[in-house]
Amino acid sequence: MSKMRFGLQARAVAVMGVALLVVAIMVGLWLARLGSLQTEVRTLGGQLIVSLYDDQAQRQGTSLASDLAQALVNPMYYNDSEQVAQLVRALKAQPLVSYVRVFDAQGYLVHDGSETVVDYGQRLDDPLAEKAFAASDTLLQRTDHVLEVTVPVLLGEQRLGGVRVGMDLDRMRLQQAQAGARLDSGIEVVSRRYLYTGLGLLAGLLLLTVVVAVYVQRTLVHPVRALVAAARRMEQGDYEVELSVTRSNDEIGELVRSFATMSQAIARHDREVRKLAYTDALTGLANRLAFRQTLEARMAAIPDADQRLALLFVDVDDFKRVNDTLGHEAGDEVLLRFVERIKTAVNLYGGADSLLARFGGDEFVILLGDGDAATSALRLAEELVVELSKPLSLSGRDVFLGSSIGITVFPDDANDATGLLKNGDIAMYQAKLAGKNCYRYYSRAMDHAVERRVHMEQELRGAWERGELHLVYQPIYRTRDRRLVGVEVLLRWQHPQLGAIPPSVFIQVAEQSGLIEQLGPKVLRAACMEARRWEMVPGGEQLFVSVNVSPRELRNGDLSDVVVACLAESGLPASRLHIELTETAVIGDEMLAASLLDKLHRHGVKVWLDDFGTGFSGLSHLRQVPVDGVKIDKSFVADMQRDPDDLALTTAIIAMCHALGITVVAEGIEQEAQFDLLSQRSCDLAQGYWLSRPLSSTQLVALLKTKD
Ligand code: C2E
Ligand code: MG
Ligand code: MG
């Protein structure tokens, strides 16, 4: 809101201001017009007054003079000077009359209204006298100060004399001026009234503008601003806004009410979404997000340096097996039962402030913060390992599972939530590596192991493309006649800095990182292509090639498609390709393995069970998973000479496999005696350093040539 805006209120005020200006201009024009009207009226009025007074003076003078002339007829005829004097004096007393002069037929003054009549009998010689004597009828003459009316005094046809009446023009002008002044003041009063009306109108309009502005402010601007402020807060994630809901029935009121309802609905949804976002749907436990927030808050609020927080990372061992073999519903059931057990244990050892969360899948995390958290964590871990390894009865079956637990302590192991969670994960992983169903404390040494693994994983990515990986071939011989019948393909990694890295190390990394899913098919294709080259060499046309396939590739599901594609691409007959699966790949998911084997068999590819005897899962697997051959692990072969039990077992395995129609291969033959023992027990095929070390392709071709 820092930017100035031309808002509603400003606009309303502007409109009102413009209206006010227009009205002011109109009122101004009107007043100006009124002013000129006033002068016009004044001029016209003045003229009118002058002519009116003039007229009146004439008429009055004429009538006064005529009346006097009439009245004087007899007195003059009879020379009644007394009467004449009386009449003249009476007239002279009139207000507007300045003089009266009566003269006889000869023009001599008879009377002038004075006491003494000084000029009696004299001829008057004032400027108007000449014409006055000569006048035979009413005559009007004027000087600057007087309007004189002369009327002859007639007796029938006889002229007795005349009357001259001087009307006082000065006096009349004074009266005119007074009348004019009255007119002016009248006009003034009227104009002022109009001016006040105009100004009143303007003031009224100004008041109206203010009232409208205030009204707009209260009914429009204020609620809209409140809405904008509320919307801003909601934008920032604060949905609990309180809006003063107006009772007004207009559109704005409606808008405010709708907004209030909407914000309440959003707030409700927000609470629901938060709840959903912070809890795990299956178990109702806190989820990763909620846990992390609590963890961060607790880390920040740790009261003193002696206080510790402990974090337990619990992962159910082999949980995937439950899902794969018994289905996801059973998996959910198992998880819920586990949660019950974990809760009981946490209640027992965790303290009131502990928090249990599910991090997805079969991962649970526990935060302990009460008292001696590190000791509580140890007790809890011991309890959990025992409790979680007890069998679960699930639809009539006993399911044995365990748990691997990693323990890490704040602030000893890490100083932030991310670091602490990572440490917990690493420690848990170490517990898995240590054989599962146990707990491990996080240590910095673990970090280095993890770092090395991560580094190796990065290096392994793209190693094939950079040509650091290559294949070697270890010959496999028929025991009966010691004839070379095939080779096992083994992957080698020559790292530019680290040198030769053994497959026992990097295959595990490739396996864990999933890289094996990309590498496996490449090895397979290259091996098929190579096998086709041997056909050029006499004796090579019969050689089979045996390729190791990791458990992960098996679970991936499209192994048979990859095999078929490689065969088609290389043109290698299916009968010359063998696939080696480890026992561990097959155990746990016999169904999947069986269906895959079935597919491979239909294409004519043989499947061998590698490292047979190491897991010793029992011979019953051989019936469930119909393999074409087993490779007796080199550890057995090595122990055979020293341990009569191993020898007996090896003998039994060979016999049983033959009974089932399964080929037996012995690997890791390092001495002639081992070879002899096995061939005596009619082991079919043999492989080992004593027979031949893994060879490069050139070495192998050379070997084939010498054989011939
Ligand atoms: P494996 O499949 O059991 O392979 C046989 C291993 O025994 C090879 O080790 C081989 O060099 C070794 N060996 C052969 N004869 C003797 C002997 O007389 N004495 C002794 N001590 N060892 C002998 P290598 O090449 O180190 O491979 C180790 C494992 O790595 C293999 O065991 C296999 O499981 C895996 N591997 C190797 N290449 C691949 C591959 O391309 N893909 C997959 N998935 N795994 C591979
Ligand atoms: Mg093998
Ligand atoms: Mg093996």
Side-chain angles (χ1 to χ4, degrees):
M1 268 296 271
S2 58
K3 207 172 52 161
M4 276 292 284
R5 267 198 332 181
F6 197 48
L8 269 179
Q9 193 179 22
R11 244 179 281 176
V13 167
V15 168
M16 294 307 287
V18 169
L20 200 69
L21 197 69
V22 169
V23 171
I25 289 170
M26 275 163 67
V27 168
L29 285 175
W30 179 62
L31 285 177
R33 181 81 200 92
L34 209 67
S36 63
L37 202 71
Q38 195 180 337
T39 23
E40 269 169 47
V41 167
R42 203 170 278 162
T43 327
L44 281 175
Q47 285 167 358
L48 200 67
I49 286 169
V50 167
S51 73
L52 267 176
Y53 271 84
D54 225 48
D55 253 30
Q56 200 198 347
Q58 277 182 32
R59 263 186 286 110
Q60 202 180 349
T62 311
S63 91
L64 286 174
S66 301
D67 287 354
L68 183 64
Q70 201 73 47
L72 281 175
V73 175
N74 278 335
M76 277 182 79
Y77 187 73
Y78 295 110
N79 266 329
D80 186 350
S81 50
E82 195 57 33
Q83 182 72 18
V84 170
Q86 207 181 340
L87 285 169
V88 172
R89 277 190 201 116
L91 183 59
K92 203 186 166 202
Q94 290 281 323
L96 277 176
V97 176
S98 73
Y99 62 84
V100 180
R101 285 170 192 153
V102 180
F103 56 90
D104 62 13
Q106 284 74 43
Y108 297 116
L109 182 70
V110 175
H111 209 294
D112 63 359
S114 60
E115 284 304 318
T116 51
V117 193
V118 181
D119 294 331
Y120 182 80
Q122 304 232 340
R123 269 190 94 94
L124 294 175
D125 53 356
D126 57 285
L128 303 179
E130 197 73 34
K131 278 192 176 170
F133 298 140
S136 56
D137 208 346
T138 308
L139 169 76
L140 289 174
Q141 292 188 100
R142 69 175 63 230
T143 67
D144 280 350
H145 303 289
V146 189
L147 173 71
E148 190 186 276
V149 185
T150 308
V151 178
V153 178
L154 297 170
L155 177 70
E157 291 296 300
Q158 189 191 349
R159 191 174 161 197
L160 301 179
V163 174
R164 288 170 66 189
V165 176
M167 299 302 285
D168 188 346
L169 281 184
D170 288 339
R171 184 95 182 257
M172 203 177 68
R173 277 192 199 115
L174 198 72
Q175 282 185 359
Q176 268 174 24
Q178 280 168 354
R182 274 203 304 282
L183 178 70
D184 274 2
S185 76
I187 289 172
E188 198 64 36
V189 167
V190 172
S191 311
R192 201 165 297 141
R193 205 177 294 151
Y194 276 109
L195 181 70
Y196 290 156
T197 314
L199 288 177
L201 208 68
L202 266 181
L205 205 68
L206 194 69
L207 191 73
L208 189 69
T209 309
V210 171
V211 167
V212 167
V214 169
Y215 181 76
V216 167
Q217 162 79 20
R218 292 190 56 178
T219 59
L220 213 65
V221 177
H222 185 72
V224 168
R225 286 217 178 123
L227 284 186
V228 170
R232 287 249 160 76
R233 277 174 60 192
M234 286 168 71
E235 203 177 283
Q236 257 130 46
D238 176 10
Y239 299 104
E240 308 288 339
V241 286
E242 280 294 325
L243 273 174
S244 56
V245 178
T246 62
R247 251 173 284 121
S248 78
N249 227 354
D250 57 10
E251 287 86 344
I252 289 290
E254 190 83 347
L255 180 64
V256 172
R257 278 192 296 280
S258 314
F259 192 93
T261 331
M262 184 191 78
S263 71
Q264 279 158 13
I266 291 180
R268 206 169 44 245
H269 277 124
D270 179 60
R271 280 195 293 276
E272 280 164 16
V273 167
R274 259 169 215 274
K275 205 176 143 205
L276 279 181
Y278 285 124
T279 48
D280 172 58
L282 174 67
T283 59
L285 295 175
N287 65 7
R288 186 188 292 265
L289 196 65
F291 184 87
R292 219 198 137 92
Q293 283 188 4
T294 311
L295 178 62
E296 274 165 0
R298 295 281 289 277
M299 279 176 158
I302 215 142
D304 57 274
D306 290 340
Q307 183 68 39
R308 298 264 178 285
L309 291 178
L311 198 135
L312 280 85
F313 227 91
V314 184
D315 191 282
V316 182
D317 294 333
D318 306 316
F319 176 70
K320 195 177 178 308
R321 242 174 55 204
V322 179
N323 267 344
D324 289 348
T325 53
L326 302 175
H328 283 270
E329 267 174 43
D332 287 353
E333 177 69 31
V334 167
L335 285 177
L336 288 174
R337 302 263 201 95
F338 261 67
V339 168
E340 282 314 308
R341 291 182 185 182
I342 297 175
K343 273 185 184 166
T344 316
V346 170
N347 284 341
L348 219 58
Y349 297 100
D353 258 4
S354 55
L355 174 68
L356 168 61
R358 182 181 176 212
F359 267 32
D362 55 355
E363 270 179 9
F364 298 93
V365 182
I366 304 162
L367 175 67
L368 304 179
D370 285 325
D372 187 357
T375 315
S376 311
L378 174 65
R379 296 229 179 87
L380 179 58
E382 281 171 344
E383 172 80 3
L384 283 174
V385 168
V386 174
E387 283 301 312
L388 298 183
S389 62
K390 287 181 180 165
L392 276 170
S393 124
L394 208 70
S395 48
R397 284 175 67 167
D398 269 351
V399 179
F400 288 86
L401 288 168
S403 59
S404 300
I405 302 173
I407 306 172
T408 182
V409 177
F410 173 82
D412 311 59
D413 297 341
N415 46 25
D416 64 340
T418 311
L420 201 65
L421 286 168
K422 197 185 92 194
N423 292 347
D425 195 28
I426 290 173
M428 183 276 288
Y429 187 74
Q430 294 301 321
K432 290 253 189 238
L433 285 185
K436 301 180 179 174
N437 206 31
C438 62
Y439 63 88
R440 281 288 177 275
Y441 271 99
Y442 167 80
S443 75
R444 299 224 183 269
M446 290 178 179
D447 261 359
H448 295 309
V450 170
E451 262 167 38
R452 271 204 307 279
R453 216 182 71 220
V454 170
H455 179 68
M456 187 167 289
E457 188 188 316
Q458 282 165 354
E459 291 294 300
L460 192 56
R461 227 173 269 276
W464 181 277
E465 286 74 13
R466 288 194 299 271
E468 292 167 20
L469 291 167
H470 67 276
L471 301 180
V472 292
Y473 308 89
Q474 185 170 34
I476 299 175
Y477 293 88
R478 192 155 61 200
T479 8
R480 181 157 41 87
D481 51 6
R482 266 217 234 169
R483 204 186 138 81
L484 177 64
V485 286
V487 295
E488 176 178 8
V489 177
L490 297 163
L491 192 56
R492 291 288 175 267
W493 184 12
Q494 189 66 33
H495 188 276
Q497 280 92 44
L498 303 174
I501 301 171
S504 51
V505 174
F506 76 80
I507 291 291
Q508 199 192 14
V509 172
E511 186 95 39
Q512 277 155 8
S513 61
L515 271 172
I516 197 75
E517 286 174 35
Q518 290 151 39
L519 268 179
K522 287 186 175 124
V523 171
L524 192 66
R525 180 178 312 107
C528 292
M529 294 292 197
E530 188 63 25
R532 284 277 283 161
R533 292 199 327 133
W534 303 328
E535 287 169 17
M536 316 294 171
V537 189
E541 60 275 86
Q542 299 301 322
L543 286 189
F544 66 78
V545 62
S546 184
V547 181
N548 293 288
V549 166
S550 97
R552 203 152 166 163
E553 284 176 84
L554 189 69
R555 295 210 183 95
N556 185 14
D558 61 357
L559 180 64
S560 68
D561 297 341
V562 174
V563 168
V564 170
C566 287
L567 288 174
E569 207 179 314
S570 61
L572 186 76
S575 59
R576 285 177 57 201
L577 178 65
H578 294 183
I579 297 291
E580 293 188 16
L581 296 175
T582 55
E583 220 181 347
T584 42
V586 176
I587 300 170
D589 211 339
E590 288 86 352
M591 298 276 281
L592 184 73
S595 83
L596 181 84
L597 260 55
D598 194 43
K599 276 191 207 157
L600 291 174
H601 280 153
R602 262 185 273 142
H603 290 294
V605 177
K606 289 202 169 66
V607 177
W608 284 355
L609 203 56
D610 204 353
D611 302 344
F612 188 74
T614 46
F616 203 72
S617 48
L619 296 168
S620 60
H621 285 293
L622 292 181
R623 261 184 288 125
Q624 281 177 26
V625 187
V627 291
D628 304 280
V630 296
K631 292 184 84 170
I632 298 175
D633 193 66
K634 51 183 170 285
S635 59
F636 264 87
V637 175
D639 286 349
M640 217 167 42
Q641 290 162 288
R642 284 183 279 115
D643 192 339
D645 283 349
D646 271 356
L647 184 61
L649 196 59
T650 311
T651 315
I653 290 171
I654 296 170
M656 201 196 74
C657 284
H658 284 169
L660 289 168
I662 295 174
T663 310
V664 183
V665 190
E667 61 178 7
I669 297 173
E670 293 180 348
Q671 296 159 14
E672 191 175 2
Q674 290 166 343
F675 181 82
D676 289 342
L677 271 174
L678 287 159
S679 56
Q680 279 161 23
R681 283 161 181 77
S682 48
C683 174
D684 304 283
L685 304 174
Q687 172 186 0
Y689 291 169
W690 182 71
L691 292 158
S692 169
R693 291 205 165 240
L695 307 171
S696 70
S697 70
T698 339
Q699 287 173 323
L700 180 68
V701 171
L703 176 74
L704 285 173
K705 282 181 179 159
T706 56
K707 276 273 154 94
D708 207 62

